[in-house]
């Protein structure tokens, strides 16, 4: 155990890549499986994805359905869909059958209707019905995150029945790892849950309804945030999920919720950097390029708006050309200061520490930081400008403009995500460009209007 | 259950704030506890943190140790430390005693030595020794994330002993929720683990060593990434943690690892926005201001370096003042394009899909995006410039410069995080400023040198 865990060096990975390449060239399925079983699944995935799409599909076709399904499970969703589509129909069904029902539903959502139907037709009809049900629910809801099957018993069954089931060799049971057995009535409503302690202290012949307690349930449309709060508040490893009629439709686990929260944090990170929709480098060039351009084209319009402020002051610029040296600096520094405030608000939003209605409180908190940092940065850049260009008044103009603009940028930056959220816009995508446009316009205006006012002094 | 879960409206929260305020003014501890017990713990924390530090401490002093400990557990670490310090010594010990050992160790790390000693002296000496041991380990390692106590038995104990323990009313058992019982030898080495299935199918009088299997263990210094891989590869809910001598020192749970990964993703997000070290708005102004300035001051130096390129071309600028309008635009657009590539690389790093040695492969992938997006954006801005300023050659200069600089920015942006990581720097903090400086310099140089070359045409 300890050895593979601590021997995670790059050298070793190159060896594995080479070994996979050799085994693949010889179509040696046994070696291929052995090599990839020996490493962690994330390493195995990275090695496989390093091959061209065609080779990658061929390699996966040589793997056992079990190992292939673990790779599919580990891969980001778009990639998982591509990998499934690359397999022959029979093999694809074998791999698909090994996946958990929530992953099956996610994969189905990535495929076109025909491929999806072929897969669902290949597995047990009851399981297929469960997966079809799962695909109806939005991704970040209890329905979208749950497993379609629960560890369930009827109320007239005995304690012995549960203990026998726990002790049986049914490998499906592993899915319920740590989950409690739920008791359902005739209408499939969850009416009880029994603890391990209850099972161990009761008579084997006792009926479950005599030792069960009322279960906490989650509605199928509960949001990810609601689930996060719930798992925060209770130590349980899972909750039974019920539909509008109160019938048990699945179980949502702490693990699935944690994974969804992490994924949300990571795509939010990406949106803040200006990529709307997911991107992985294994995706087709056209999609990657288009998704990035979508955001950039909006940004170019905002940039033109900001630049029009400079254009209005060309005379001032022509008189004191040195100002042009400092315009991008004021724009960049203010943008950075504002983005720090955006970052703190985005984090506090995700930690649940602020709500859109807190905008005023946040604004007051940010103004203080903005004033301090504005004064410090204004003095710094003012001195640099004075020393560099030999004109104290120019230093004063640039320093004063940066100081004021930093205050504007920081105080606006803190509240922009909250205001965007309040009007139903995505703060991760829109905060940066909106903030930058405002601070650019304000920055250019401050520098150039102050310079215009002090023009006689600047020309000395 | 369903009612509080779906009634998460802002109105309600204001009501709760008001109710807490009233109960607090009347020093009505009973109502205070009731009100805060009724909402989710994250809501309760937000409501409490909305009060001034003094009031906040007074409110917590009125809560039951159990509820107070849940608030402390939910709060970000710096805040948790402040809240503990705000309590009278006796109350602080009561609250501290309710926390899990891993959280106790985290809180101890936030306090000064005297306060920490006072808390540890107040709890069970054996527990205190466990917490002291935990504080020795780095935060993002198995040791830093584990619980100090494991669900453990001696090899000569019987199956019945484990079942009795599971069935007993010892509330501490909840901590082991879903964990397996580990068997240790005389030297405290974990030599076995038994499954629930094994326990249920064996005779009660049977010895544990007859049904146990060899356990997988994790070394105490295993990194968060190694733990992530491990929990990815195995469905277990926890692993026993061993020290250098192979002795059992604790258990690391999937939940703790998931929470640490999420926290890492969120602070990385913050570092990418230019905040090194944590920041929450509840922290003192001086710390918040200083942490932000640290990064900004470095950035100001880089900005000066970039601006010196403009300064070197003041003559060209003086001749065609319209260029000054487009310099910030080229700088901002290239920076955005480059940051998109940084974002994708950072995400692929966190998903484990790229490694520092993949820089060349990433560069090739990014060049293609850079060429396409460069051409599109270059044509767009070129046309805008031509129409706006009425000079086709100026459009050509600006468009060509942006096209080339986009290619540079995108291809460099993709590899900068990998190169920084290779030389042991934090890619989240340094990628943005480094990239922006390079693309600013290149952008200013391209615009101004192309303009200098084509000067006669621009003056027409």
């Amino acid at each position: 155990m300890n050895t593979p865990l601590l021997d995670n060096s790059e050298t070793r990975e190159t060896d594995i890549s080479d070994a996979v390449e050799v085994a693949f060239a010889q179509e040696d399925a046994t070696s291929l499986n052995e090599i990839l079983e020996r490493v962690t699944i994330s390493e195995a995935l990275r090695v496989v994805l390093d091959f061209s799409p065609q080779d990658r599909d061929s390699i996966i076709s040589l793997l056992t359905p079990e190992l292939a399904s673990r790779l599919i499970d580990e891969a980001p969703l778009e990639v998982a869909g591509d990998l499934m589509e690359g397999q022959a129909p029979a093999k694809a069904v074998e791999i698909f059958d090994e996946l958990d029902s929530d992953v099956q539903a996610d994969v189905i959502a990535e495929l076109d209707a025909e491929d999806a139907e072929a897969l669902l037709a290949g597995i047990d009809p009851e399981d297929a019905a469960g997966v079809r049900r799962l695909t109806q629910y939005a991704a970040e809801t209890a329905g979208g995150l749950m497993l379609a099957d629960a560890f369930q018993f009827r109320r007239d069954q005995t304690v012995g029945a549960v203990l026998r089931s726990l002790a049986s060799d049914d490998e499906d049971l592993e899915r319920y790892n740590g989950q409690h057995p739920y008791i359902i009535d005739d209408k499939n409503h969850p009416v009880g849950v029994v603890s391990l302690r209850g099972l161990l202290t009761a008579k084997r012949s006792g009926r479950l309804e005599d030792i069960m307690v009322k279960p906490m349930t989650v509605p199928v449309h509960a949001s990810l945030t609601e689930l996060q709060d719930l798992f925060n508040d209770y130590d349980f490893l899972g909750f039974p999920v019920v539909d509008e009629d109160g019938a048990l439709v699945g179980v949502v686990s702490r693990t699935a919720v944690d994974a969804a929260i992490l994924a949300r944090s990571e795509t939010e990170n990406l949106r803040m950097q200006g990529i709307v929709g997911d991107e992985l480098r294994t995706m087709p060039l056209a999609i990657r390029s288009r998704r990035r351009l979508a955001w950039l084209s909006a940004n170019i319009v905002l940039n033109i708006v900001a630049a029009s402020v400079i254009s209005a002051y060309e005379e001032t610029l022509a008189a004191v050309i040195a100002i042009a040296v400092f315009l991008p600096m004021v724009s960049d520094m203010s943008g950075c200061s504002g983005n720090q405030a955006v970052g703190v608000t985005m984090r506090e939003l995700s930690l649940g520490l602020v709500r859109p209605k807190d905008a005023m409180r946040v604004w007051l908190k940010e103004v203080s930081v903005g004033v301090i940092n504005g004064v410090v940065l204004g003095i710094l850049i003012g001195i640099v400008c004075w020393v560099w260009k030999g004109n104290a008044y120019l230093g004063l103009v640039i320093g004063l403009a940066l100081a004021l603009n930093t205050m504007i940028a920081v105080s606006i930056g803190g509240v922009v995500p909250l205001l965007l959220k309040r009007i139903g816009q995505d703060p991760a995508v829109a905060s940066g460009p909106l903030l930058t446009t405002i601070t650019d316009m304000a920055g250019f205006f401050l520098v150039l209007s102050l310079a215009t006012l002090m023009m006689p002094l600047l020309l000395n």
Side-chain angles (χ1 to χ4, degrees), chain A:
Chain A
M1 168 81 249
N2 298 1
T3 322
L5 196 62
L6 292 179
D7 181 26
N8 233 334
S9 62
E10 289 197 357
T11 337
R12 196 171 69 94
E13 197 178 321
T14 317
D15 293 349
I16 292 159
S17 267
D18 292 348
V20 168
E21 191 139 14
V22 171
F24 171 52
Q26 300 169 343
E27 296 193 26
D28 179 353
T30 315
S31 305
L32 212 47
N33 279 287
E34 272 176 18
I35 298 161
L36 292 175
E37 286 280 8
R38 232 184 303 135
V39 298
T40 67
I41 197 69
S42 68
E43 254 180 304
L45 179 66
R46 194 165 47 234
V47 167
V48 171
L49 291 185
D50 263 352
F51 287 84
S52 71
Q54 289 85 341
D55 285 357
R56 185 158 99 178
D57 292 342
S58 309
I59 290 173
I60 287 182
S61 72
L62 292 169
L63 302 180
T64 62
E66 197 274 330
L67 179 54
S69 76
R70 284 172 54 212
L71 288 174
I72 303 263
D73 188 13
E74 171 73 7
L77 272 185
E78 291 86 349
V79 179
D82 290 348
L83 293 178
M84 287 300 289
E85 281 172 342
Q87 297 304 305
K91 180 76 179 190
V93 167
E94 282 182 333
I95 298 172
F96 187 71
D97 207 18
E98 293 280 338
L99 296 168
D100 279 346
S101 56
D102 57 338
V103 184
Q104 287 177 327
D106 290 343
V107 167
I108 287 294
E110 291 294 321
L111 303 178
D112 57 42
E114 201 179 327
D115 288 340
E117 282 309 315
L119 286 180
L120 289 172
I123 65 170
D124 179 85
E126 202 174 316
D127 291 347
V131 174
R132 272 181 222 279
R133 215 172 53 223
L134 288 185
T135 55
Q136 297 162 16
Y137 302 114
E140 295 195 341
T141 64
L145 295 167
M146 71 187 182
L147 284 175
D149 39 5
F151 187 34
Q152 62 188 61
F153 296 87
R154 293 188 320 278
R155 56 195 306 163
D156 57 356
Q157 283 185 286
T158 63
V159 169
V162 180
L163 292 178
R164 272 193 304 280
S165 170
L166 280 170
S168 78
D169 242 9
D170 181 359
E171 64 162 354
D172 272 352
L173 216 56
E174 288 198 334
R175 293 190 196 166
Y176 307 120
N177 202 347
Q179 308 277 352
H180 291 286
Y182 300 112
I183 322 298
I184 52 169
D185 67 8
D186 304 342
K187 290 175 185 155
N188 207 27
H189 291 198
V191 289
V193 58
V194 292
S195 66
L196 186 56
R197 188 181 301 167
L199 289 171
L200 292 174
T201 49
K203 276 196 193 143
R204 287 202 161 221
S205 58
R207 283 155 67 104
L208 292 172
E209 59 187 343
D210 296 329
I211 59 162
M212 72 190 189
V213 295
K214 210 169 155 0
M216 298 180 81
T217 60
V218 173
V220 75
H221 296 299
S223 72
L224 186 53
T225 307
E226 287 167 335
L227 292 168
Q228 185 176 18
D229 280 345
L230 206 55
F231 278 107
N232 240 336
D233 284 0
Y234 300 94
D235 276 338
F236 304 133
L237 293 165
F239 285 97
V241 180
V242 294
D243 65 13
E244 290 80 355
D245 304 326
L248 182 68
V249 288
V251 175
V252 61
S253 72
R254 181 181 289 274
T255 307
V257 169
D258 284 347
I261 292 165
L262 180 63
R264 187 176 61 176
S265 159
E266 276 168 351
T267 55
E268 181 176 288
N269 216 329
L270 214 49
R271 290 206 307 284
M272 287 180 75
Q273 298 289 101
I275 293 174
V276 185
D278 218 351
E279 178 177 333
L280 292 162
R281 294 222 166 77
T282 44
M283 286 165 50
L285 178 60
I287 294 181
R288 295 171 59 219
S289 178
R290 201 168 53 229
R291 287 194 177 163
R292 293 198 196 177
L293 273 176
W295 186 84
L296 291 171
S297 330
N299 213 29
I300 219 171
V301 175
L302 295 177
N303 260 290
I304 292 167
V305 172
S308 64
V309 175
I310 308 181
S311 198
Y313 284 94
E314 282 191 19
E315 269 179 50
T316 304
L317 267 178
V320 190
I321 204 72
I323 293 173
V325 175
F326 294 94
L327 284 179
M329 204 187 283
V330 170
S331 150
D332 183 71
M333 290 301 298
S334 312
C336 286
S337 292
N339 272 322
Q340 290 182 323
V342 168
V344 175
T345 297
M346 292 300 298
R347 171 139 181 267
E348 293 199 340
L349 270 175
S350 84
L351 289 176
L353 293 174
V354 291
R355 292 263 164 121
K357 61 164 181 145
D358 298 326
M360 197 60 205
R361 187 173 61 84
V362 167
W363 189 80
L364 287 171
K365 286 258 177 196
E366 285 301 321
V367 164
S368 347
V369 177
V371 168
I372 298 178
N373 290 10
V375 169
V376 173
L377 296 174
I379 291 176
L380 273 177
I381 209 171
I383 294 174
V384 167
C385 179
W386 177 15
V387 173
W388 191 1
K389 297 295 168 188
N391 185 323
Y393 297 107
L394 186 62
L396 185 65
V397 165
I398 302 293
L400 194 57
L402 182 64
L404 292 172
N405 207 38
T406 300
M407 295 170 204
I408 294 172
V410 173
S411 54
I412 291 184
V415 298
V416 154
L418 300 176
L419 299 180
L420 284 167
K421 190 150 189 174
R422 196 183 276 183
I423 59 168
Q425 296 299 307
D426 179 357
V429 175
S431 295
L434 184 59
L435 173 82
T436 313
T437 308
I438 297 172
T439 58
D440 276 5
M441 293 182 75
F444 298 150
F445 172 76
L446 284 167
V447 170
L448 293 163
S449 61
L450 286 172
T452 309
L453 279 173
M454 297 179 64
M455 188 54 79
L457 297 165
L458 298 181
L459 294 176
N460 284 345

